[in-house]
């Protein structure tokens, strides 16, 4: 009787060990990194007068969701002079990172240049992926108001 109980216990231990070994899989795939892109939801003017502001409506599009992913925005003015603000009035300093808390957001660029101006905006996630948007504006030195023909569509 003892040997039968002993054999049953050894058999149970072997089954448990095999189940545990089979359950330990190092190839467990939990995806935390998803591709992102930014879509512009408005037409952006091609020409701006000095101190004129262009509204840029954007939407962050993700292929999937990982709740711990954080997004930041930064910009760099490579031509001319101007300022970039968010919809809450925060003035973005060039090349500084700011948290992006909403998937739909607005940027306001105010030209301070009587010549061409251009800048690049980067939206980056906490995994190191980034999306780049480039904007170029020509100076609108005409004294007359245009009829809206200086608008760029994406």
């Amino acid at each position: 009787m003892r040997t039968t109980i002993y054999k049953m216990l050894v058999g149970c231990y072997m089954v448990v060990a095999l189940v545990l070994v089979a359950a330990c899989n190092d190839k467990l795939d939990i995806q935390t990194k998803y591709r992102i892109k930014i879509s512009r939801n408005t037409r952006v003017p091609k020409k701006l007068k000095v101190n004129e502001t262009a509204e840029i409506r954007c939407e962050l599009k993700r292929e999937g969701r990982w709740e711990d992913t954080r997004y930041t925005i930064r910009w760099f003015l490579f031509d001319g002079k101007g300022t970039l603000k968010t919809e809450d009035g925060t003035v973005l300093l060039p090349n500084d990172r700011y948290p992006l808390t909403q998937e739909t957001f607005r940027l306001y660029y105010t030209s301070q240049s009587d010549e061409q101006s251009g800048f690049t905006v980067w939206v980056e996630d906490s995994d190191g992926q980034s999306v780049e948007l480039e904007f170029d504006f020509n100076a609108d030195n005409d004294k007359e108001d245009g009829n809206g023909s200086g608008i760029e569509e994406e």
Side-chain angles (χ1 to χ4, degrees), residues 40 42-46 54-56 135 137 150-153:
R40 293 185 301 188
T42 58
R43 301 181 310 165
V44 179
K46 287 185 175 183
E55 178 185 55
I56 305 165
F135 299 94
F137 299 99
I151 300 232
E152 170 187 323
E153 289 190 49

Side-chain angles (χ1 to χ4, degrees), residues 1-2 4 8 13 30 32 41 44 46 53 58 76 81-82 101 117 121-122 136-138 143 148-149 152:
M1 176 91 161
R2 268 190 184 178
T4 306
M8 288 175 54
Y13 287 135
I30 298 175
T32 61
N41 296 331
V44 179
K46 287 185 175 183
T53 300
C58 300
F76 180 73
K81 295 178 185 175
T101 57
S117 61
V121 174
W122 290 274
D136 291 304
F137 299 99
N138 292 320
K143 300 295 181 198
S149 61
E152 170 187 323

Side-chain angles (χ1 to χ4, degrees), residues 16-46:
V16 168
L18 287 173
V19 167
L20 289 176
V21 168
C24 294
N25 185 352
D26 290 341
K27 295 179 182 164
L28 184 61
D29 186 23
I30 298 175
Q31 186 171 355
T32 61
K33 188 175 182 179
Y34 294 98
R35 289 175 25 139
I36 59 172
K37 67 179 184 174
I38 301 291
S39 66
R40 293 185 301 188
N41 296 331
T42 58
R43 301 181 310 165
V44 179
K46 287 185 175 183

Side-chain angles (χ1 to χ4, degrees), residues 36-37 42 57 60 65 68-69 97 107 110 114-115 117 126-127 132-133 153:
I36 59 172
K37 67 179 184 174
T42 58
R57 295 180 186 183
L60 174 67
R65 297 207 177 270
D68 292 337
T69 303
R97 290 177 193 244
L107 300 172
T110 303
D114 58 356
E115 295 183 8
S117 61
S126 52
D127 288 319
E132 181 179 329
L133 299 171
E153 289 190 49

Side-chain angles (χ1 to χ4, degrees), residues 100-113:
L100 189 61
T101 57
Q102 299 175 344
E103 290 186 27
T104 302
F105 58 96
R106 295 178 187 190
L107 300 172
Y108 298 93
Y109 175 73
T110 303
S111 175
Q112 297 170 343
S113 180

